[in-house]
Amino acid sequence: MKEGKEEIERLRLRIRELEDELVRSSGEDRFRLVVESAPNGILVANREGRIVMVNQRAEELFGYSREEFEALKIEALVPRRFREGHGELRESFHEGPSTRPMGAGRDLHAVRKDGSEFPVEIALTPLPDETDALVLASIVDITERKRAQDELRRYADELERSNEELEGFASVASHDLQEPLRKIRTMGERLLHQSRDSLDERGLDYLDRMVRAGDNMQRLIRDLLEFSRVSTRGKSFRQINLLECVEEAVSNLEVTIEERNAVVRLGELPTLDADFGQMRQLFQNLVANAVKFHRDGVEPVVEIKSVTERSESQSWAVISVKDNGIGFDERYRDRIFAIFQRLHGKGQYEGTGIGLAICKKIAERHGGVISASSRSGEGSEFLVRLPLERGSGDGE
Amino acid sequence: MKKCLLMMVDDDPDDREFVRDAFDVCGFEGEFRYVEDGVELMDYLGRRGRYRAQENCPLPDLILLDLNMPRLDGKEALSAIKSDERLRRIPIVVLSTSETPEDIARTYDLGVNSFITKPSSFTELVGIAEGVKHYWMEIVKLPETAWRGKST
């Protein structure tokens, strides 16, 4: 009876052992399944750096078979130039094991069986085990991503170079265009003064129109030069008081403002990182426009004020320049910022149509945007959004 | 009194004519000479090359200097003159199409006496000629020099 009980007890223990083993082994199987199905190459190494487990993707990545892997230490997969220090790094990982990316911020490379290298990203995860400190390394081949990044960077560089070339071209072309034009204008002017009496009325009229066309071309070239200089002659950014800057812009327009009996009201304006000269030019152009396009019989009133807008990553100063002038048809709200675009006949209002194009270019150079809204006959409002913190923009 | 000698250095014949005419219009009574580039200017001032054997090469009282010229450009000529003890006191006025801050800063560093950007109309050019004549030939006192002293 007693023996029978002992026998049962022994069997019960044996069954529990078998159950445990079953659970453990099916857990291992499940683990293996996860490892095998992972899209990354996976290597498990022990504390000595021996490779104890790999998945199929790792075989494909490195070109070793499972058996070959198990005869290797992890260092065999590290480029020769980094091999020496790797053992120490491995040791230090085991002192404070945690899941983390390997070599954060560095370009990592791995070596295939045939000795070729490829760029990788590696995540390390400790796998505590009662007998050994195992580490699971999950490896992604980033050759394609790198190539795409390089391509993108090359494309961006090329774009920047071609932009610079274009700006250089505009500046050189307009400078060289001025030479012959200067002569045409000078001789036209001299002809008009010296040979006035020997020309008939028609001849004089032609000459007069020729000289005026020359003057107009001179203005266009000068404006084109000025436009191209926004990026080529820009100064670096520093903290500026926008109120001072706008006050200076307004005082530069004193004569026009007085002539038109215009009133310019300045509200609160922020301090921000910018090129003072360009900001002054931006607001000078906007105020000059506001005063120029006034309604007949209505004294121009221009209001400039700023509000702060916060998005998650950035604070913006949104500066409004609002007038009570003739306004414009909102269909043209984008066209007015294009170079040499004018909405009015030349007889009505002076100008080449460069002012707002320059404003736009300056705003963009500061990492900002400019927009306009209006209803014809009810004045217009220009909004300049500028980043309050240093960030985008090429003024660094 | 000795006639004032104005030396223009410019490779552009039209510009030379405009400037001479502008000085005529504003009543300049001195002598107007020109050379075509920096090399010719240095030859004239040093009586070398085609000026070696020439009589009557007095040093100018004022030089109007273009910047962009073949062979020896305005800045190089300016630098050569301002580092030559015999020539450094001759007033030099740049008259160029350039208005770049770099050119302006560089030429003043090299010791230019004034920098003028060529205007785009004849009327303005006459105004400039008047200003130059009035300032450099009537207002300012210039150091006595061997050449100026001798021929007075």
Side-chain angles (χ1 to χ4, degrees):
Chain A
M1 205 51 194
K2 200 181 172 196
E3 275 176 29
K5 261 190 180 174
E6 277 175 7
E7 180 65 12
I8 290 168
E9 189 57 30
R10 203 174 53 80
L11 283 171
R12 189 180 283 151
L13 281 171
R14 178 69 189 132
I15 288 166
R16 191 169 295 157
E17 262 175 37
L18 285 170
E19 272 175 0
D20 284 353
E21 203 172 305
L22 197 65
V23 167
R24 206 168 41 242
S25 75
S26 70
E28 251 170 46
D29 280 352
R30 226 176 284 151
F31 175 67
R32 173 153 287 283
L33 203 67
V34 168
V35 166
E36 275 307 335
S37 66
N40 302 350
I42 286 178
L43 301 169
V44 178
N46 65 15
R47 187 159 188 150
E48 282 72 51
R50 290 261 157 238
I51 296 168
V52 298
M53 185 183 193
V54 296
N55 68 353
Q56 200 190 327
R57 182 75 188 116
E59 289 179 283
E60 288 162 14
L61 278 180
F62 287 91
Y64 290 109
S65 71
R66 236 160 260 253
E67 293 71 39
E68 284 171 322
F69 262 126
E70 276 159 23
L72 287 178
K73 284 185 84 170
I74 207 89
E75 275 72 24
L77 311 176
V78 177
R80 196 170 291 279
R81 57 189 183 282
F82 299 123
R83 223 166 264 178
E84 207 173 313
H86 193 266
E88 272 173 47
L89 289 172
R90 188 152 45 73
E91 275 306 311
S92 71
F93 179 81
H94 285 293
E95 275 156 29
S98 64
T99 300
R100 61 177 171 82
M102 190 173 148
R106 273 190 299 131
D107 278 351
L108 294 180
H109 286 85
V111 184
R112 296 193 188 89
K113 186 182 175 185
D114 65 10
S116 58
E117 288 186 17
F118 59 107
V120 288
E121 225 169 58
I122 304 176
L124 299 176
T125 310
L127 294 179
D129 183 280
E130 57 268 38
T131 53
D132 202 350
L134 298 177
V135 182
L136 180 146
S138 168
I139 299 160
V140 187
D141 180 349
I142 56 169
T143 308
E144 265 310 298
R145 194 201 303 167
K146 275 269 200 224
R147 202 190 49 75
Q149 274 174 353
D150 287 350
E151 191 137 308
L152 209 62
R153 192 173 308 128
R154 205 169 44 241
Y155 184 67
D157 286 350
E158 223 159 84
L159 202 66
E160 193 175 327
R161 200 174 47 246
S162 99
N163 260 342
E164 268 169 26
E165 237 172 57
L166 210 62
E167 265 151 14
F169 174 78
S171 145
V172 168
S174 40
H175 186 261
D176 290 348
L177 284 173
Q178 288 200 89
E179 281 294 309
L181 180 61
R182 198 165 46 85
K183 293 180 183 176
I184 293 170
R185 294 182 64 215
T186 300
M187 286 187 244
E189 196 187 352
R190 302 208 67 198
L191 196 59
L192 204 55
H193 286 113
Q194 289 181 354
S195 314
R196 179 167 283 278
D197 300 336
S198 50
L199 285 169
D200 64 9
E201 203 172 306
R202 201 160 164 203
L204 266 177
D205 178 47
Y206 284 158
L207 185 57
D208 188 47
R209 279 149 65 184
M210 212 175 80
V211 168
R212 271 191 285 135
D215 292 350
N216 192 28
M217 180 152 175
Q218 176 68 46
R219 267 194 297 277
L220 286 167
I221 291 177
R222 195 173 296 156
D223 286 352
L224 191 63
L225 253 178
E226 199 184 335
F227 181 75
S228 78
R229 280 173 184 166
V230 171
S231 32
T232 56
R233 293 274 170 79
K235 301 273 189 301
S236 55
F237 297 171
R238 58 183 173 80
Q239 278 282 304
I240 65 159
N241 181 337
L242 200 60
L243 182 64
E244 268 174 35
C245 182
V246 174
E247 276 170 347
E248 212 174 292
V250 171
S251 98
N252 286 346
L253 296 166
E254 212 169 42
V255 178
T256 325
I257 290 173
E258 273 176 27
E259 263 174 21
R260 299 270 162 83
N261 268 329
V263 179
V264 182
R265 293 196 195 112
L266 301 185
E268 256 182 62
L269 290 168
T271 298
L272 45 76
D273 256 341
D275 175 337
F276 188 92
Q278 290 194 341
M279 276 300 135
R280 183 189 51 214
Q281 193 182 5
L282 193 164
F283 288 100
Q284 194 168 320
N285 289 359
L286 289 181
V287 174
N289 259 13
V291 173
K292 177 160 88 177
F293 297 106
H294 69 283
R295 260 179 296 165
D296 274 345
V298 180
E299 287 175 358
V301 177
V302 189
E303 277 182 296
I304 305 176
K305 56 179 191 249
S306 171
V307 292
T308 304
E309 247 180 49
R310 278 174 226 287
S311 66
E312 279 163 40
S313 54
Q314 180 70 276
S315 295
W316 299 85
V318 183
I319 304 132
S320 149
V321 180
K322 199 173 178 188
D323 64 52
N324 60 344
I326 58 170
F328 60 88
D329 189 326
E330 286 233 325
R331 269 184 297 172
Y332 306 122
R333 55 187 297 171
D334 293 324
R335 200 200 279 185
I336 54 174
F337 294 108
I339 189 166
F340 296 145
Q341 286 287 342
R342 302 162 43 89
L343 297 184
H344 304 277
K346 292 203 173 118
Q348 261 179 302
Y349 295 97
E350 281 183 358
T352 58
I354 195 90
L356 290 177
I358 287 178
C359 291
K360 178 168 184 253
K361 209 168 178 197
I362 291 175
E364 283 168 0
R365 183 177 171 247
H366 285 76
V369 283
I370 186 168
S371 59
S373 60
S374 170
R375 240 174 284 160
S376 243
E378 290 182 26
S380 26
E381 181 174 22
F382 287 83
L383 292 178
V384 186
R385 282 167 64 89
L386 297 170
L388 272 172
E389 287 108 32
R390 203 186 185 83
S392 41
D394 66 355
E396 281 94 303
Chain B
M1 187 171 147
K2 173 188 168 280
K3 265 181 146 185
C4 180
L5 175 60
L6 180 57
M7 172 68 81
M8 180 166 184
V9 193
D10 202 314
D11 58 322
D12 187 321
D14 294 331
D15 277 347
R16 295 197 298 258
E17 188 189 322
F18 295 156
V19 170
R20 197 190 54 217
D21 288 356
F23 273 93
D24 276 352
V25 169
C26 74
F28 171 66
E29 287 174 343
E31 188 184 350
F32 188 93
R33 292 191 186 188
Y34 70 85
V35 288
E36 298 194 8
D37 60 35
V39 170
E40 208 190 331
L41 175 68
M42 297 317 290
D43 280 354
Y44 177 96
L45 297 174
R47 306 202 55 176
R48 290 187 303 259
R50 55 180 278 208
Y51 295 98
R52 181 195 296 276
Q54 273 198 33
E55 293 297 307
N56 188 27
C57 288
L59 290 179
D61 296 285
L62 180 69
I63 296 175
L64 295 178
L65 183 66
D66 186 21
L67 287 184
N68 203 353
M69 293 181 295
R71 300 205 288 174
L72 191 70
D73 71 21
K75 283 180 227 170
E76 291 164 323
L78 178 63
S79 159
I81 293 168
K82 290 302 180 186
S83 52
D84 183 326
E85 258 182 45
R86 196 177 64 96
L87 306 172
R88 69 205 293 171
R89 289 178 176 170
I90 304 173
I92 300 182
V93 173
V94 163
L95 185 60
S96 151
T97 51
S98 168
E99 46 187 341
T100 68
E102 296 81 24
D103 279 346
I104 295 171
R106 181 76 188 122
T107 48
Y108 277 102
D109 283 347
L110 289 173
V112 81
N113 300 81
S114 294
F115 189 111
I116 297 172
T117 299
K118 283 178 185 167
S120 62
S121 76
F122 189 70
T123 317
E124 288 170 90
L125 189 61
V126 172
I128 284 170
E130 265 166 4
V132 166
K133 182 177 85 107
H134 184 55
Y135 184 75
W136 286 106
M137 293 159 199
E138 291 156 18
I139 294 180
V140 299
K141 289 262 183 291
L142 293 170
E144 284 292 322
T145 55
W147 82 92
R148 192 179 282 116
K150 237 187 266 172
S151 48
T152 304

